[in-house]
């Protein structure tokens, strides 16, 4: 009988130790999976962030080229020949289907860039609003060529500022490859030499 009393606690301790070891194993495995999953998600987000930065940089370069071309069109307006066709103004508008306006951009890209992107979106919307105002003014009964010229001159100054600022915005976003700067410079020089054919109403 004393022998039986002595072995039962030992058997009970073996079961408790086994349960504790199993639970510890499960806990360590779960913890390892959680940490592994967290690191994978961070790595995935980092890759997506880098891809998104490349896309944004590319879009900013395209946007700069678009503004350079539009500036040359605006400077080619000659109101002594008539009122420029609305077609030219419509083509100046900046597409808001860009990834700059996509809600996904803010989920993928680092929050460090949120303020920068918001500022850029505002600039693009302002340019589009100014072009819309010119288009609407053309249709007004009280239309005056000299007032239209003032609005056009204002838009020219806004475009010039945007063209100057966009490469700086690009530098805020990422390390600028000098090849991008060279392409923008070449595009500026090429556009300055190109004569624009303007259609008048």
């Amino acid at each position: 009988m004393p022998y039986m009393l002595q072995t039962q606690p030992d058997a009970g301790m073996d079961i408790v130790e086994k349960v504790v070891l199993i639970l510890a194993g499960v806990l360590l495995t779960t913890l390892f999976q959680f940490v592994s999953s967290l690191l994978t998600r961070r790595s995935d987000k980092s890759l997506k962030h880098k891809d998104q930065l490349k896309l944004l940089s590319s879009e900013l370069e395209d946007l700069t080229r678009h503004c350079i071309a539009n500036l040359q069109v605006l400077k080619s307006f000659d109101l002594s020949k008539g009122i420029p066709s609305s077609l030219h103004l419509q083509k100046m508008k900046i597409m808001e289907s860009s990834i700059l306006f996509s809600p996904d951009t803010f989920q993928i890209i680092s929050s460090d860039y949120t303020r920068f992107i918001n500022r850029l979106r505002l600039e693009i919307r302002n340019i589009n609003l100014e072009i819309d105002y010119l288009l609407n003014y053309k249709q007004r009964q009280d239309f005056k060529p000299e007032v239209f010229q003032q609005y056009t001159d204002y838009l020219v100054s806004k475009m010039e500022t945007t063209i100057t600022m966009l490469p700086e915005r690009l530098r805020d976003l990422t390390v600028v490859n000098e090849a991008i700067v060279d392409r923008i410079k070449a595009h500026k020089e090429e556009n300055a030499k190109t004569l624009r054919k303007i259609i008048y109403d």
Side-chain angles (χ1 to χ4, degrees), residues 72-90:
Q72 285 307 114
V73 171
L74 283 168
K75 286 183 172 180
S76 300
F77 286 178
D78 182 353
L79 296 188
S80 67
K81 295 180 179 179
I83 305 306
S85 169
S86 296
L87 172 69
H88 297 299
L89 294 167
Q90 288 284 4

Side-chain angles (χ1 to χ4, degrees), residues 123-176:
E123 284 177 24
I124 290 169
R125 285 194 172 129
N126 284 345
I127 288 172
N128 285 346
L129 283 170
E130 286 145 16
I131 292 167
D132 281 337
Y133 190 86
L134 269 173
L135 285 163
N136 291 332
Y137 184 73
K138 275 187 68 184
Q139 308 304 318
R140 282 171 48 170
Q141 294 293 323
D142 61 344
F143 175 86
K144 292 178 183 172
E146 60 271 20
V147 175
F148 185 81
Q149 183 66 62
Q150 286 174 4
Y151 290 139
T152 304
D153 291 344
Y154 175 74
L155 190 53
V156 164
S157 70
K158 284 299 292 286
M159 285 285 186
E160 286 174 337
T161 302
T162 301
I163 289 164
T164 302
M165 291 304 296
L166 278 173
E168 292 307 313
R169 299 272 189 268
L170 201 53
R171 283 187 176 89
D172 289 343
L173 189 65
T174 185
V175 175
V176 177

